Amino acid sequence: GTIFGITHFENWRFDGAGTMSWSILNKTQTRGIGMYSLYEVEQILRSKQVFVCSLAFLGEGEHSEAFLVNRDIVVKLPKHRQASECLKTEMQVVKGLGTKLNVEIPNVLFQGAFFHEGEEYTYFGSRKLPGHSLNKKQFCALPKPILDKNAEIVANFLYRLHSEKNVLPIQREGDVLVHGDFSLNHLLFDQNQMVCSVLDFGDSHVGDFQEDFLYLLDEEDEEEFGADFGREVLANYKSILSCSLQGEF
């Protein structure tokens, strides 16, 4: 899951030429909720010559912390060595997928490396994706026609993702590219409550397609879609797969 924070800091100043620049002046006021302070994040970005006007702690997952820069760029910083490797994989995957899917996914605006407590870590920045999140109660309360349409969108997304053969090496017949953590909190919805964006490809790998249905078909998880929706997604997915095998999709 993701823990959302509200840590936010803005500070503008003008140099002698009248140019606006930004700096965190008081380090003691900039400690984030997680392992990185806002001051540390600013210094990392400054090394990439990223002009920072505002900086906010967005949240954290198992692998990384996310920060919103200038209100339109999301920067992900790893929490440990394995997480840094996951970010490298995520960059490879989203670059390989590009615009091939039916929803928005992160891109890579810039990337770099930095040292934190003696370890070298990888990070990247991507544009902030459109949409808002829904919790299970909000999602399950959507009208059935909206849920049906979302089941089609999700099924199409998973089919297209699983059909990509050249993003990561696939060595075993039957294996596919999977998202690896396809859960409700990694989806964003547009103003019509339709899925429009999918987040966090840090757990992407090659494996069994059924891995991406674990949360969809979970009967017990109080944070997920609900198995009824998952079964509808699976039925749509199988229909698309059947049509593709017959050359109709």
Side-chain angles (χ1 to χ4, degrees):
T2 301
I3 302 171
F4 291 99
I6 56 173
T7 305
H8 187 224
F9 191 90
E10 293 180 281
N11 191 14
W12 288 268
R13 67 180 182 181
F14 288 85
D15 62 20
T19 301
M20 185 171 70
S21 61
W22 181 89
S23 178
I24 294 175
L25 303 178
N26 187 346
K27 299 181 186 180
T28 63
Q29 296 177 350
T30 61
R31 171 56 58 183
I33 294 175
M35 67 181 282
Y36 298 101
S37 70
L38 298 184
Y39 177 79
E40 289 171 316
V41 178
E42 188 223 7
Q43 294 304 303
I44 291 168
L45 295 175
R46 181 172 291 189
S47 70
K48 292 294 291 185
Q49 298 183 323
V50 176
F51 182 82
V52 180
C53 289
S54 67
L55 186 59
F57 177 83
L58 279 180
E60 64 179 318
E62 181 180 350
H63 296 308
S64 61
E65 294 183 1
F67 295 84
L68 183 63
V69 182
N70 301 342
R71 297 189 175 91
D72 61 0
I73 298 173
V74 175
V75 174
K76 295 181 71 172
L77 302 181
K79 297 168 73 172
H80 45 76
R81 168 67 65 183
Q82 180 185 352
S84 184
E85 296 304 312
C86 288
L87 287 186
K88 291 179 183 178
T89 299
E90 180 168 12
M91 286 190 284
Q92 181 180 351
V93 169
V94 298
K95 286 178 180 179
L97 290 172
T99 58
K100 297 176 182 177
L101 303 176
N102 60 322
V103 298
E104 301 278 351
I105 64 171
N107 64 352
V108 179
L109 292 174
F110 56 84
Q111 64 189 79
F114 65 97
F115 283 91
H116 182 79
E117 297 180 350
E119 293 276 359
E120 185 178 34
Y121 290 155
T122 295
Y123 73 97
F124 74 95
S126 61
R127 63 186 176 82
K128 183 177 181 289
L129 292 176
H132 61 273
S133 59
L134 296 176
N135 61 35
K136 181 175 182 176
K137 182 178 180 181
Q138 294 168 327
F139 179 76
C140 292
L142 295 176
K144 190 174 187 308
I146 301 295
L147 289 172
D148 291 345
K149 182 61 179 177
N150 276 318
E152 293 178 13
I153 294 171
V154 170
N156 268 281
F157 166 79
L158 291 174
Y159 171 77
R160 294 186 189 199
L161 177 68
H162 297 165
S163 299
E164 286 299 320
K165 306 300 184 185
N166 300 312
V167 175
L168 294 179
I170 299 176
Q171 299 175 339
R172 189 172 60 182
E173 186 176 356
D175 280 353
V176 299
L177 174 65
V178 296
H179 180 278
D181 193 14
F182 192 77
S183 54
L184 181 58
N185 68 343
H186 288 147
L187 303 187
L188 297 178
F189 297 80
D190 64 19
Q191 60 185 3
N192 297 315
Q193 309 297 10
M194 300 294 184
V195 176
C196 62
S197 303
V198 176
L199 308 172
D200 197 354
F201 287 73
D203 288 305
S204 294
H205 62 279
V206 171
D208 192 312
F209 82 95
Q210 295 179 89
E211 292 182 46
D212 280 338
F213 286 89
L214 289 177
Y215 292 121
L216 281 163
L217 297 173
D218 194 321
E219 296 273 10
E220 307 295 334
D221 198 318
E222 296 182 359
E223 296 182 356
E224 292 305 335
F225 307 87
D228 288 343
F229 177 79
R231 283 188 282 268
E232 186 173 356
V233 173
L234 183 58
N236 277 288
Y237 182 94
K238 289 180 176 179
S239 176
I240 295 170
L241 184 60
S242 176
C243 289
S244 70
L245 293 176
Q246 298 172 29
E248 299 174 9
F249 187 80

